[in-house]
Structures are given as C-alpha cells and as structure tokens.
Amino acid sequence: MSRDRDEAGRPRQARPRDELGRPLPYGAEGVEPVPEQALPPEETLAVARSLVAQGRPFAAHEVLEARWKAGPDQERDLWQGLAQICVGLTHAARGNRVGADRLLERGATRVDNYRARSGPTYGLDLVEVTAWARRQKS
C-alpha cells in the first residue's frame, strides 16, 4: 500500500486513530482529528486542556506540537515541554510507565528551563505545571 499524502505530496496519516493516538484499520471509526495548523497561543492552551480533560493527551500533544513548530524559537522549550508532558500522559494511559516517567520529567525540565528565562506564560502557572507533571510519575 502506498503512503498517505496530502495534495502537496507531504506524508499524512489518513488512518483513523483511537483516543490515545493509536492507528485503527482503514474504515474504522476513530476520534475527530485535530487541526494541523498552529493556533494562537491562548487557543492552543484551551484546546490542549480540553483534549486532556477528554482523555485525549495524544491529540493535545499534536496541538501543542503545531504551536511549537510555528512559534518563535525563544518559546520552543515551553511548547515542546508541554507537548512532552502530554506524550508522557499518553504513555501512562497506554501502560508504559517507564516511557511516561521519562517524558513527564523531560517535559517538566523543558518548562523549567523556559520559566528560568522569563518568557511569556500565556496565563500558565509554570511552577504548578511542572509540579503537577512530576506528581503524575510513578
């Protein structure tokens, strides 16, 4: 089978996915995909929070990843750290505690590094975000 591609020829995953981002067979009913384009920072956070609350941390990671790739370099640690925390939550939900703990810590460390540089927080309490992420570890 050839690889799924968009109209510009870029690889895209057309297979449906479950709530934890695992691919399902073609034709199966999966969860609603998230937008691939970056959202403004505050909207990114609102959508990501909603997705985590719905038990969809993998989708939250995708929304945060789009923001990190489109955002300014000086904010990379914030968005990448938040995305890694969501991947850690995904690993935990899939039963991979070792991977979960590693990504939760890696994400929290990135957010800590960002906080130390005093960049915009978009209303987040970064101390609480990192403390919460670390409490999720086993």
Side-chain angles (χ1 to χ4, degrees):
M1 177 185 288
S2 66
R3 190 163 182 188
D4 299 325
R5 301 211 175 255
D6 66 12
E7 58 280 345
R10 291 183 302 265
R12 294 289 182 246
Q13 181 55 265
R15 284 175 64 181
R17 293 186 175 268
D18 72 7
E19 66 280 350
L20 294 178
R22 294 174 290 219
L24 298 170
Y26 287 100
E29 188 171 331
V31 296
E32 183 73 25
V34 295
E36 291 185 21
Q37 72 276 8
L39 302 170
E42 290 84 0
E43 189 176 350
T44 296
L45 293 172
V47 170
R49 281 182 179 129
S50 175
L51 289 164
V52 169
Q54 294 171 41
R56 296 184 59 197
F58 182 82
H61 145 266
E62 290 181 321
V63 169
L64 292 161
E65 182 178 57
R67 178 77 248 147
W68 122 43
K69 289 181 176 180
D73 286 343
Q74 56 271 32
E75 292 182 14
R76 181 182 176 120
D77 276 344
L78 173 65
W79 301 111
Q80 192 171 33
L82 294 172
Q84 288 175 325
I85 289 168
C86 288
V87 173
L89 296 174
T90 301
H91 280 294
R94 291 177 178 176
N96 176 3
R97 286 308 319 176
V98 171
D101 289 352
R102 284 183 183 153
L103 282 221
L104 288 164
E105 183 57 40
R106 192 176 301 153
T109 298
R110 278 195 186 277
V111 173
D112 279 340
N113 290 341
Y114 178 78
R115 184 176 54 82
R117 293 192 306 272
S118 301
T121 63
Y122 303 104
L124 291 174
D125 178 341
L126 299 183
V127 171
E128 178 52 31
V129 168
T130 57
W132 181 88
R134 289 181 170 121
R135 286 193 303 268
Q136 305 314 300
K137 294 169 37 181
S138 54

